[in-house]
Amino acid sequence: MANPHTRVRVTDLAAMKRAGHKITMLTAYDATMARIMDGAGVDVLLVGDSLGMVVMGEDTTVGVTLDMMVHHSRAVARGTARALVVADLPFLTYHTGTSEAVRNAGRLMQEGRAGAVKLEGGASSAPIVRAMADAGIPVMGHVGLMPQHVHVLGGYRAVGKTPGEAEALLADARALQDAGVFAIVLECVPADLARRVTAELAVPTIGIGAGPHCDGQVLVSYDAFGLYQDFQPKFVKRFGRLGAAMSEAARAYVDEVRGGSFPGPEHSIQS
Ligand code: KIV
């Protein structure tokens, strides 16, 4: 386990892999929830571009902009004392030239106060990863199902089920490691393939819908806590029922205000 009192650094994650300690990662989008998850001992808080769906109510992550990510990353960083904060580079912010990509990643660190960035893509993203690493920006990779590619993938689906896709994914993971990523997210990948990638790489793998053999696990916190109820992927486990608890609290508030019992004397300022 990384030291429970000091800030988690990217190098701690590799040490956790070597020691066989599982890495825990959840998404966060604001300071209040970040403080709760940080206090619970989550190692990495990912300011995921999933915020486009769970916070903004969109169907995909494609509409998320760099300014939105900077804004949410700064809030999460403010609420975090120990966890490593990783911010997603959103759609089209790292594909239109290396210097623009490095500058955009730099904004997530300088203005968004993230400790690292994450980007989707395999071997074709390796030169960008290398340029960022050379500039002192730690990069987490993301292969398998890449939600920013939903329109070319033709929907959200598992990746790596055929031998060809499995070999391509392994080659992508190797290329990212060679380019300097400090960890790789494997999303919606068969468990045996995730086991192979994890065994072969020196950098940690963090799985979502990739089975139990990865070096760590990540979930979208709104899914894990039962807040996002529009759709539940098969690999999600609900660890809480916050959506139901919030609706109950909202109903109680409505009833008490309508019934005149809130605010009572104890919640009123006396002259
Ligand atoms: O945006 C996100 O929340 C992610 C996770 C699903 C890994 O990238």
Side-chain angles (χ1 to χ4, degrees):
M1 202 176 89
N3 187 322
H5 304 296
T6 57
R7 175 75 73 174
V8 177
R9 293 156 303 183
V10 295
T11 47
D12 292 324
L13 304 190
M16 288 171 79
K17 173 172 181 135
R18 288 193 299 274
H21 294 153
K22 292 281 187 188
I23 298 162
T24 56
M25 175 158 119
L26 283 170
T27 63
Y29 314 99
D30 66 69
T32 300
M33 278 184 66
R35 196 167 293 120
I36 292 168
M37 291 186 265
D38 188 55
V42 177
D43 299 310
V44 184
L45 289 179
L46 172 66
V47 190
D49 62 355
S50 49
L51 77 86
M53 299 168 83
V54 300
V55 177
M56 309 298 294
E58 312 231 4
D59 290 338
T60 72
T61 60
V62 171
V64 176
T65 65
L66 188 64
D67 285 342
M68 288 179 195
M69 292 305 300
V70 166
H71 177 84
H72 286 271
S73 177
R74 200 175 173 108
V76 169
R78 270 197 219 110
T80 308
R82 175 185 169 270
L84 171 68
V85 175
V86 179
D88 259 340
L89 274 158
F91 183 69
L92 230 53
T93 58
Y94 50 101
H95 300 96
T96 53
T98 305
S99 57
E100 187 177 331
V102 173
R103 224 184 328 271
N104 287 341
R107 276 195 67 198
L108 289 175
M109 294 186 73
Q110 287 190 304
E111 298 171 45
R113 303 278 193 265
V117 303
K118 176 167 82 59
L119 54 79
E120 297 180 7
S124 62
S125 301
I128 301 165
V129 171
R130 196 165 291 119
M132 288 180 187
D134 285 349
I137 300 170
V139 184
M140 180 180 278
H142 182 152
V143 296
L145 171 60
M146 296 182 286
Q148 290 173 16
H149 295 69
V150 61
H151 294 301
V152 286
L153 275 174
Y156 296 104
R157 65 167 179 88
V159 175
K161 284 180 145 182
T162 64
E165 270 191 9
E167 290 312 314
L169 188 140
L170 199 53
D172 280 338
R174 283 190 200 112
L176 289 172
Q177 169 168 278
D178 293 347
V181 296
F182 69 89
I184 302 182
V185 168
L186 303 179
E187 179 163 359
C188 270
V189 169
D192 53 347
L193 176 58
R195 189 214 294 260
R196 243 181 104 194
V197 177
T198 302
E200 188 173 311
L201 295 190
V203 296
T205 58
I206 302 183
I208 173 164
H213 309 297
C214 296
D215 299 304
Q217 295 292 328
V218 57
L219 282 176
V220 171
S221 53
Y222 277 47
D223 290 337
F225 300 161
L227 273 168
Y228 186 70
Q229 292 161 343
D230 294 9
F231 164 71
Q232 184 181 344
K234 180 171 170 267
F235 57 77
V236 166
K237 175 171 175 184
R238 294 233 161 108
F239 289 84
R241 294 171 48 80
L242 296 198
M246 282 173 74
S247 37
E248 202 180 304
R251 260 194 305 270
Y253 170 78
V254 166
D255 287 349
E256 290 197 22
V257 170
R258 287 193 183 142
S261 58
F262 177 82
E266 71 277 30
H267 297 111
S268 304
I269 299 164
Q270 310 301 335
S271 54

